[in-house]
Amino acid sequence: MAPSLRPEDEMFLKRLSRGYLVGKDPNAPLFYREEGNKKFQEKDYMGATVLYSKGVSHSRPHTEDTSLCYANRSAALFHLGQHEVSIRMPGVTCLKDIVRAQMHGYPERLQPKMMLRKAECLVLLGRLQEASQTISDLESNFTAKPTLAASQFQILQRTLCRLKMKVQEKENLTETISAALTKAFADMDLREENEQISSASSSVSLCTDPLKGRYLIATKGILPGELLVKEDAFVSVLNPGEMPPLHHGLESKWDTRVTNGDFYCHRCLKHTLAPVPCDGCSYAKYCSQECMQQAWDLYHSIECSLGGLLLTLGVFCHIALRSTLLARFEDAGKVIRNLCGEISNKDTCLPESKNLVQTLSCDLGGESEKNGKTVENPIPGCDINGKYESNYYAVFNLLPHTENHSPEHKFLCALSVSALCRQLEAASSQALTTGPTSSKLKAAVAPALGPELTLWGVAMLRHMLQLQCNAQAITTIQQTGSKEDIITDCRQVRLATGLFPVVSLLNHSCSPNTSVSFVGTVATIRASQQIRKGQEILHCYGPHESRMGVAERQRKLRSQYFFDCTCPACQHEKHRATAGPRWEAFCCHSCRALMQVNLSSPFSTRFVSVMRPLSFELIEQAIQLLLGCQQDAESFLSAEHSVVGEIEDDLAQAYAALGDWQKSATYLQKSLQVVKVRHGPSSVEMGHELFKLAQIFFNGFAVPEALNTIRKAEKVLLVHYGPWNDEIQELQKMKSCLLDLPPVPVGPSV
């Protein structure tokens, strides 16, 4: 495989890879620290935190640069109020950064300032005994080493006195934690796990069909909101997002832009404001030392030196490599036997591998020996006992659709794997000596870096071909706009890409009966509607009837997944009138009859493009402009057109910014009708819009309307997310607050 790469190809890839700054750079920490200090002075503590984190990532461990970046980040986190967030988290982010700064050699001359911050943080957290001890230690140190100037000493004394008073004020208070927080994940576990399929509910069963392949059906009646699958990704890779440009000069060498990689753990995808970087590279960041060590032991010891190449080759190539690295921790013999079956020339299997395969008592391929007879496994991916587990064997049995991929796609995949294998060969010795060491790791990596590299290359190529049809986008809900906004809005963003063997069993429907959501690397699939016994469990691969017409859906599914969709939604749309959906419909200005118009025409594109570039700095002017757009839109767009809904939504936001809650609610209720027509009354989109309406009623003290809307929003969102969702938690807080209000006195009737 490796000789297919010409020397000029290798040089080209190396030039591209060098454009990604994934190594440590001793000059970068000072730059990022100074940029962070500027943000700190401007009171942009979030921006400062990100820049200090970038400084930590580029610093070598146990240097003053690292310690200073950690210390500065602790100050930014303190101002962000991390002491409050940390009460409901395992550990205290701000305090952890102070400890990290000390571990990496924080200068003695600066210790008093940081210890004061530590004491203040402990006081605010209610950890009064530790705060008192820290204050006492500070006083003792100042007495023993009076190195401060008189003015500085006086400031310090005043600060210490203030902290002592805070300790005395709080010593009778006890820290309480909301009962809701302790059971936030109460329903996260499956009530009764399936004996046939790991990570699945007992309400589903695995079947197979010559045409449909493997699929899941309901073994009993299922209610909306019931948890059907809860599966941790076998493998996942954080999407790099917007990456820095290739640098050609010092002015663009260090990038200050923010990506998801700055806020999410590269192993578990947990959101974090204080990432811990890999000791060997500046790209990989983690939520804790524990996550960093686990990633190193499982795969990052090999990936660390390949960061630039992996970013150049893309996420699919990265997932293919990581999948094979994780396979080493399962039955290596089983993996090798499957790989040998993939290679047409059986001589490529080494004698040692053949001997190992022959001694296996476990089945790996489609058959095995049992009581002297050959037993065939009826369903690919299941073990000899017929159980389907979320492991490498199941991943390996996902269909690669080799015969359907274009020659160009297969060539690019093979070329990428070839480049990766060449680099693995060259970096094998370095990978075992860089960063943390583990005897278990050294024993496990031998097959991957030894003479059987060709076999692992075949596995990587298979995985790259599998990913087009089997990769799952791992998404998260992110708030749009500022946290200070009165009415919060949100959007779904792609955070990572992963492989979920059990989720991959679900077939597609353009109108599915399930809803998928994610907590970190864990996918949860819930019934979005009532499902009858014997009915198939269906998932949407992306093309949904509420987002695109049947022709576009069919084209996308055929090009990416190689099948023609025959779901009820497609069948219904094919047989109805040729008019498009109501949310894309134009209408006659005179009689209001719907018309068929080509939406890709320049006129419609220009009209739609002017709807949303509005800044609400001058809200009154923005409202007048929006009202003009609304009047124009109503003259030739249907009342349920998505653009009309967007205008109503913008008007609601504008009036909310002015504090006119009644008008805001009126316009948002009109927008809700458009969402209801397009996505359905029980859709997740409807849940988000109801959440916004509940906020408006709550802020306007419309108590009956707020409580009614909260109930509706909870009912919809619970089906899709379960009770741990942030919006549901916020709805419960609003409801609790409203129910605690004294009743409004009713005046005498006139």
Side-chain angles (χ1 to χ4, degrees):
M1 193 179 339
S4 64
L5 267 183
R6 297 176 300 179
E8 55 265 37
D9 295 329
E10 287 194 75
M11 291 304 299
F12 177 69
L13 275 174
K14 285 180 180 178
R15 283 199 303 272
L16 289 176
S17 302
R18 281 196 294 267
Y20 294 100
L21 300 172
V22 295
K24 302 292 186 183
D25 188 335
N27 298 314
L30 177 61
F31 167 79
Y32 284 118
R33 197 167 73 247
E34 288 178 344
E35 292 298 309
N37 291 343
K38 292 175 186 175
K39 295 285 185 183
F40 193 95
Q41 294 298 323
E42 296 167 2
K43 300 190 186 307
D44 179 3
Y45 300 119
M46 181 64 77
T49 298
V50 173
L51 289 165
Y52 294 141
S53 294
K54 288 181 181 289
V56 171
S57 297
H58 284 82
S59 303
R60 297 194 181 279
H62 307 296
T63 61
E64 185 172 302
D65 281 330
T66 306
S67 68
L68 290 172
C69 287
Y70 272 130
N72 286 13
R73 192 173 74 181
S74 75
L77 290 169
F78 183 82
H79 283 278
L80 277 173
Q82 279 297 287
H83 47 267
E84 295 173 4
V85 176
S86 299
I87 289 173
R88 57 176 188 262
M89 294 172 62
V92 182
T93 310
C94 178
L95 291 177
K96 280 188 174 181
D97 265 6
I98 291 173
V99 172
R100 289 169 184 145
Q102 292 172 322
M103 285 173 54
H104 288 273
Y106 192 65
E108 185 70 28
R109 67 185 186 279
L110 301 175
Q111 286 283 350
K113 183 168 63 174
M114 192 169 68
M115 296 309 291
L116 279 172
R117 187 183 310 129
K118 178 181 178 181
E120 190 156 5
C121 192
L122 288 167
V123 169
L124 290 168
L125 283 166
R127 292 161 59 173
L128 306 181
Q129 188 172 353
E130 294 174 72
S132 297
Q133 185 61 52
T134 303
I135 293 168
S136 178
D137 291 344
L138 270 169
E139 289 178 320
S140 300
N141 288 340
F142 294 141
T143 304
K145 299 177 183 178
T147 56
L148 294 177
S151 58
Q152 291 177 309
F153 186 76
Q154 288 176 358
I155 294 172
L156 181 74
Q157 287 283 63
R158 285 198 296 269
T159 305
L160 285 173
C161 288
R162 178 173 55 81
L163 285 174
K164 283 182 179 179
M165 290 175 65
K166 280 188 176 181
V167 171
Q168 291 170 0
E169 289 170 4
K170 290 197 169 194
E171 60 187 3
N172 293 324
L173 298 177
T174 57
E175 184 179 307
T176 59
I177 299 177
S178 170
L181 293 171
T182 62
K183 50 181 185 175
F185 292 87
D187 84 323
M188 283 296 289
D189 292 323
L190 297 162
R191 289 190 178 91
E192 189 178 343
E193 194 159 343
N194 197 305
E195 293 182 1
Q196 182 194 16
I197 316 162
S198 70
S199 308
S201 160
S202 60
S203 302
V204 302
S205 179
L206 176 58
C207 302
T208 184
D209 179 88
L211 295 177
K212 293 168 61 174
R214 300 170 298 181
Y215 62 99
L216 298 181
I217 63 166
T219 58
K220 61 180 183 180
I222 296 172
L223 296 175
E226 185 174 333
L227 185 60
L228 303 179
V229 175
K230 179 197 171 189
E231 181 183 20
D232 198 354
F234 173 79
V235 62
S236 63
V237 171
L238 187 76
N239 285 5
E242 185 184 8
M243 291 303 299
L246 305 181
H247 68 281
H248 303 287
L250 188 62
E251 68 279 357
S252 61
K253 187 173 182 181
W254 298 308
D255 204 301
T256 58
R257 289 177 298 179
V258 180
T259 67
N260 282 335
D262 295 309
F263 288 117
Y264 292 90
C265 176
H266 286 221
R267 191 193 78 83
C268 71
L269 303 182
K270 177 183 176 181
H271 186 272
T272 177
L273 290 178
V276 179
C278 168
D279 287 344
C281 70
S282 62
Y283 176 68
K285 307 177 188 73
Y286 306 95
C287 63
S288 65
Q289 190 75 24
E290 293 73 24
C291 252
M292 182 181 75
Q293 188 63 50
Q294 287 176 28
W296 182 268
D297 289 345
L298 290 172
Y299 48 79
H300 192 63
S301 58
I302 306 297
E303 295 178 355
C304 187
S305 63
L306 306 175
L309 180 62
L310 290 170
L311 288 168
T312 300
L313 296 176
V315 170
F316 277 14
C317 198
H318 197 162
I319 292 175
L321 171 63
R322 190 171 288 183
S323 296
T324 56
L325 293 176
L326 290 169
R328 301 167 302 150
F329 295 92
E330 297 189 19
D331 190 327
K334 291 177 68 175
V335 175
I336 290 169
R337 181 173 170 180
N338 239 4
L339 296 177
C340 288
E342 285 293 303
I343 302 174
S344 56
N345 179 10
K346 294 294 193 294
D347 292 335
T348 34
C349 289
L350 301 174
E352 303 93 318
S353 303
K354 288 181 178 177
N355 293 335
L356 177 60
V357 170
Q358 289 167 2
T359 62
L360 289 176
S361 57
C362 256
D363 169 67
L364 177 68
E367 55 185 34
S368 64
E369 294 288 331
K370 190 172 183 180
N371 298 325
K373 296 181 180 179
T374 299
V375 180
E376 292 191 3
N377 288 334
I379 301 180
C382 292
D383 63 18
I384 188 173
N385 299 312
K387 180 158 186 179
Y388 188 92
E389 297 193 72
S390 183
N391 57 18
Y392 183 73
Y393 181 44
V395 168
F396 194 90
N397 277 278
L398 297 174
L399 290 177
H401 293 281
T402 308
E403 69 283 0
N404 293 316
H405 290 292
S406 68
E408 295 83 1
H409 178 72
K410 286 185 277 194
F411 174 76
L412 284 174
C413 289
L415 194 65
S416 298
V417 171
S418 179
L420 202 49
C421 287
R422 286 289 289 266
Q423 192 65 26
L424 279 168
E425 246 178 338
S428 59
S429 58
Q430 182 184 357
L432 288 171
T433 57
T434 305
T437 59
S438 164
S439 57
K440 178 183 176 183
L441 170 68
K442 289 183 178 179
V445 296
L449 301 175
E452 292 169 351
L453 182 60
T454 301
L455 292 175
W456 299 107
V458 171
M460 283 189 272
L461 181 55
R462 179 181 177 87
H463 296 323
M464 285 201 73
L465 295 174
Q466 288 172 329
L467 285 164
Q468 179 170 316
C469 295
N470 292 286
Q472 173 69 52
I474 299 175
T475 60
T476 187
I477 302 296
Q478 289 184 350
Q479 182 180 313
T480 58
S482 168
K483 285 191 175 183
E484 284 72 37
D485 288 349
I486 300 170
I487 305 301
T488 58
D489 206 348
C490 61
R491 63 188 176 102
Q492 187 181 61
V493 297
R494 185 169 187 151
L495 182 60
T497 303
L499 277 174
F500 297 83
V502 176
V503 174
S504 293
L505 294 173
L506 274 70
N507 280 328
H508 167 81
S509 171
C510 298
S511 180
N513 52 20
T514 62
S515 179
V516 62
S517 60
F518 299 89
V519 179
T521 58
V522 177
T524 58
I525 293 183
R526 297 174 181 276
S528 59
Q529 56 187 257
Q530 192 166 351
I531 302 174
R532 301 185 310 276
K533 180 180 178 179
Q535 190 176 347
E536 186 174 357
I537 311 298
L538 296 165
H539 171 46
C540 180
Y541 291 178
H544 195 284
E545 66 168 344
S546 69
R547 301 188 191 104
M548 57 189 76
V550 61
E552 186 181 0
R553 297 201 308 270
Q554 293 278 354
R555 179 179 57 79
K556 286 182 177 291
L557 290 167
R558 194 176 299 116
S559 64
Q560 182 173 350
Y561 297 99
F562 312 119
F563 72 89
D564 293 312
C565 185
T566 57
C567 74
C570 287
Q571 294 297 316
H572 174 69
E573 287 184 53
K574 282 181 179 177
H575 292 97
R576 74 182 186 187
T578 57
R582 284 180 288 173
W583 58 86
E584 292 179 353
F586 285 67
C587 65
C588 173
H589 178 67
S590 301
C591 68
R592 307 299 296 166
L594 297 184
M595 302 187 301
Q596 183 68 20
V597 178
N598 180 10
L599 287 178
S600 61
S601 66
F603 174 77
S604 61
T605 303
R606 281 199 305 271
F607 181 83
V608 172
S609 69
V610 301
M611 292 298 115
R612 294 187 73 85
L614 298 173
S615 169
F616 287 156
E617 294 173 0
L618 302 172
I619 300 173
E620 293 284 3
Q621 292 182 24
I623 287 174
Q624 293 307 311
L625 180 55
L626 281 167
L627 289 171
C629 289
Q630 181 191 40
Q631 186 176 359
D632 290 340
E634 288 175 347
S635 67
F636 66 96
L637 297 179
S638 75
E640 294 155 345
H641 198 288
S642 58
V643 171
V644 174
E646 289 174 7
I647 297 171
E648 307 283 6
D649 191 274
D650 282 339
L651 280 165
Q653 295 276 2
Y655 279 113
L658 289 178
D660 191 336
W661 305 110
Q662 188 173 356
K663 281 188 178 178
S664 179
T666 299
Y667 283 109
L668 192 59
Q669 285 169 315
K670 292 179 181 178
S671 174
L672 267 170
Q673 293 306 308
V674 178
V675 174
K676 184 177 179 180
V677 166
R678 180 170 185 177
H679 299 284
S682 301
S683 64
V684 67
E685 292 83 1
M686 191 71 174
H688 293 315
E689 289 299 301
L690 284 167
F691 173 73
K692 286 161 58 177
L693 184 61
Q695 288 179 301
I696 290 171
F697 283 137
F698 178 84
N699 283 284
F701 292 100
V703 178
E705 294 87 348
L707 288 171
N708 185 45
T709 307
I710 288 170
R711 180 184 57 79
K712 291 179 181 178
E714 281 182 326
K715 184 178 179 182
V716 173
L717 292 172
L718 278 168
V719 167
H720 297 279
Y721 294 118
W724 46 264
N725 175 259
D726 288 342
E727 289 186 346
I728 291 176
Q729 294 290 318
E730 184 64 27
L731 287 167
Q732 290 173 350
K733 290 177 184 176
M734 286 193 284
K735 180 165 64 176
S736 176
C737 181
L738 291 170
L739 292 174
D740 288 342
L741 289 174
V744 179
V746 179
S749 56
V750 179

